[in-house]
Amino acid sequence: MSKVFGDSMVLQRNQPIPVWGWAPPGTLITAVLGTAQAKVITGKDGKWTLRFPSRKAGGPFTLKVSGADTAVEYKNVLIGDVWLASGQSNMEWPVKDAKDAAKEIAASHWPQIRFLVVDHHKSLTPQQDIPGGKWKACDTANTGGFSAVAYYFARKVHQEQGVPVGIIQSTWGGTPVEAWTGREGLLASPITKSRVLANDTLTTADFVQDSIDLVRFWEVVYHPQNNADREVPSETFSDATWPQVQMPGLVKDFGGPYEGIVWMRKKITLPASFTGKALTVELGHPEMNYSLYVNGHEICKNIWNASPSHHYTVPPEMLKTGENVIALRIAMLWGGGGLNPPADSIYVTDGATRISLAGPWRYKKDVETTALAIRNYHCYPAMLYNAMVHPLVPYAIKGAIWYQGEANEYAAFDYRQLFPNLIKDWRQRWQQGNFPFLYVQLANFKKIKPQPSESEWAEVREAQSMTLSLPNTGMACIIDLGEAGNIHPANKQEVGRRLALVAGKQVYHHKGIASGPSFAGFTKEPHRIRVRFTGTGTGLAASDGKAVTGFAIAGADKRFYWANAIIEGNEVVVYADEVATPTAVRYAWADNPVCNLVNSAGLPAVPFRTDNWKGLTQP
């Protein structure tokens, strides 16, 4: 039997129930689910599939499958709604690491909510079975390890529908959408065709070599090489030929995507008033592994954010009046790494006076090795589909929930095709028609910028909004739930709730408001633009009761200015003194927009723009 099946599983109600496995060709397979019976003869390829008639929610039942001389029995089987939960780390993020974890886990006795967490695996070709995973009920022993978004979604659906809910969780952090899409769907797109064909040159030996290289990679990450930790931080080391980078800054500020170790150095001058005092170095919000050195002395070694705070005491004997050297050895991994803003969060202080560490630092990549990069084959096109999705087909599902897009930040324009391609590909595989596909739009993240500007994250959100043109899709907007310095915002309860709101209206046919205001059109008027919205409920409002924020306006010169915005019924009138003849309006168009437009249900307006001017990621 496929490992998808097991004790405590949930099977989909109100549609035929497929069951499959393998046996010698010609074997008569008999299966019994409750009182229903089905039979099939194994094909020449050794695979068999049978289907039970659809049935209403209920249970527990026993599923027994018998062959020529073997029988398999699964107990405590429920019939209800099964949702496939997939995506990258924000879908994978467990309850135990999210908001109010202890309280939520302690109250998580939901015996009719069951999870199957698919083990991580990658493959060059479509696999017949998942690598592993067992169905488990939600309780204090298990819930902490389940996807927080999927758990809170399932809890609300279960409470409202009164039926068992099964979640098949197939997730892997840091992965792009194309890794989850099947080969055929990718070959149909010029964006991914050449990359898929390039996979044909790979073998399992490449995977083995990558595993070996990965061990070496982590050896370098955790342990400095070539005495670099003794030489680079020293006061006598010359960094005159090293390029400069502005801090705070992230990996893209170092010249684009990079995986490896970066050394950074900054010289600061301490006044005489600091003499004889212990100082505090505050690093604000660093990402990834790092070590801190002052005048060649190692002050700390932080392994994967082991410490919740990043301030360290430097004893006076390590310091001197005048010039001192601050050095950082920091890992750049999975597209992340560096010091997050704001600038005023990085400094040294004696308790009374601060000396900023913001500004130019000298930096150097590949000081310790020139062969640090790992290939991350699990991010290659189709690799995760092959191992973690294909083996799930044709398990009957109610629909899919999806939270992903961060890993496609630098290819946001392509995401307009890549994301719909995944949905179409999965629907083609399952042969269940246009099953519901509900997804989360990216949250606000990164530094708040003082002026209107272009944004890769805004372009991903736009691509996600455009995907609503596919039938039976729904989107939960969480532009108000993000955190500037945390790509994994903690409030997963509200994310799951908003997904469940969309499911309630779109799938379960509830009445009421399920999502925030959406752009419906605009009209140009003298010196201003009038924007129309749908999904306003009984009216628009500002969430904080203040003036509406988040709108920017531009004329034909394409230069945007922050705009005044006045609510008039289901419309917003937008204008700015700097723009006499406005041409375009944008709302919440930023990495981390300051915006507050909501409907009567308190749900946030979906980011949008009225222009189609070329952005950062359009080829």
Side-chain angles (χ1 to χ4, degrees), residues 230-240 265 267 295-296 320 323-325:
R230 298 181 182 179
E231 298 174 1
V232 177
S234 69
E235 302 167 79
T236 58
F237 182 85
S238 176
D239 57 19
R265 287 168 50 96
K267 295 177 181 178
N295 293 331
K320 60 183 180 179
E323 188 175 85
N324 293 257
V325 176

Side-chain angles (χ1 to χ4, degrees), residues 193-208:
K193 182 178 180 179
S194 62
R195 293 166 57 200
V196 176
L197 293 175
N199 284 353
D200 295 343
T201 64
L202 299 174
T203 68
T204 53
D206 293 296
F207 284 6
V208 173

Side-chain angles (χ1 to χ4, degrees), residues 123-461:
S123 176
L124 292 165
T125 56
Q127 298 298 292
Q128 292 192 67
D129 206 357
I130 58 175
K134 292 184 177 181
W135 283 93
K136 297 179 181 179
C138 288
D139 57 29
T140 56
N142 297 322
T143 301
F146 297 154
S147 159
V149 168
Y151 169 67
Y152 296 124
F153 169 84
R155 186 174 69 182
K156 184 169 175 61
V157 170
H158 173 61
Q159 290 172 321
E160 292 181 346
Q161 300 305 312
V163 300
V165 175
I167 298 290
I168 299 177
Q169 179 183 329
S170 186
T171 54
W172 195 325
T175 52
V177 68
E178 53 266 40
W180 295 98
T181 309
R183 176 184 175 91
E184 291 78 8
L186 295 167
L187 285 174
S189 170
I191 296 171
T192 49
K193 182 178 180 179
S194 62
R195 293 166 57 200
V196 176
L197 293 175
N199 284 353
D200 295 343
T201 64
L202 299 174
T203 68
T204 53
D206 293 296
F207 284 6
V208 173
Q209 184 60 51
D210 199 45
S211 295
I212 295 171
D213 291 343
L214 187 61
V215 173
R216 295 170 178 162
F217 177 88
W218 284 108
E219 174 65 19
V220 175
V221 168
Y222 287 125
H223 305 292
Q225 309 289 300
N226 309 324
N227 292 320
D229 57 328
R230 298 181 182 179
E231 298 174 1
V232 177
S234 69
E235 302 167 79
T236 58
F237 182 85
S238 176
D239 57 19
T241 61
W242 287 14
Q244 290 187 336
V245 65
Q246 293 292 317
M247 285 288 108
L250 300 175
V251 64
K252 68 177 183 178
D253 303 308
F254 291 83
Y258 171 77
E259 294 204 348
I261 296 296
V262 171
W263 276 93
M264 300 193 299
R265 287 168 50 96
K266 186 175 182 66
K267 295 177 181 178
I268 61 171
T269 300
L270 299 180
S273 61
F274 279 42
T275 302
K277 296 181 180 179
L279 300 185
T280 297
V281 178
E282 175 61 67
L283 296 179
H285 309 284
E287 287 187 10
M288 309 302 172
N289 301 53
Y290 68 88
S291 297
L292 169 67
Y293 303 82
V294 176
N295 293 331
H297 302 282
E298 183 182 280
I299 305 302
C300 78
K301 182 176 290 184
N302 190 297
I303 304 300
W304 188 238
N305 287 336
S307 172
S309 62
H310 302 278
H311 54 265
Y312 305 95
T313 300
V314 182
E317 58 268 24
M318 292 183 182
L319 302 163
K320 60 183 180 179
T321 301
E323 188 175 85
N324 293 257
V325 176
I326 306 287
L328 274 176
R329 178 186 187 269
I330 191 163
M332 303 287 177
L333 305 173
W334 311 305
L339 300 180
N340 280 290
D344 61 7
S345 67
I346 54 175
Y347 56 86
V348 298
T349 180
D350 65 348
T353 304
R354 288 188 180 186
I355 297 176
S356 176
L357 294 178
W361 287 59
R362 296 282 184 180
Y363 79 96
K364 187 75 166 64
K365 299 183 288 189
D366 301 326
V367 171
E368 300 175 49
T369 176
T370 57
L372 264 179
I374 53 177
R375 289 138 189 100
N376 290 323
Y377 285 128
H378 64 286
C379 293
Y380 280 37
M383 293 294 187
L384 299 186
Y385 169 82
N386 289 338
M388 297 177 66
V389 177
H390 186 268
L392 304 176
V393 180
Y395 199 97
I397 58 175
K398 185 69 172 180
I401 56 174
W402 175 263
Y403 190 165
Q404 188 275 338
E406 299 93 336
N408 288 89
E409 170 185 2
Y410 301 113
F413 187 82
D414 290 343
Y415 203 74
R416 296 180 179 189
Q417 292 186 40
L418 296 178
F419 185 31
N421 281 355
L422 172 130
I423 298 172
K424 295 173 185 176
D425 184 67
W426 285 14
R427 286 173 169 173
Q428 175 66 27
R429 309 283 183 175
W430 254 271
Q431 291 293 296
Q432 285 188 203
N434 292 330
F435 61 73
F437 195 102
L438 315 179
Y439 54 94
V440 182
Q441 190 180 47
L442 291 190
N444 47 310
F445 174 56
K446 301 184 183 181
K447 180 181 179 180
I448 295 175
K449 296 183 179 179
Q451 298 300 326
S453 59
E454 299 296 338
S455 162
E456 291 99 345
W457 275 55
E459 292 176 25
V460 175
R461 294 188 199 106

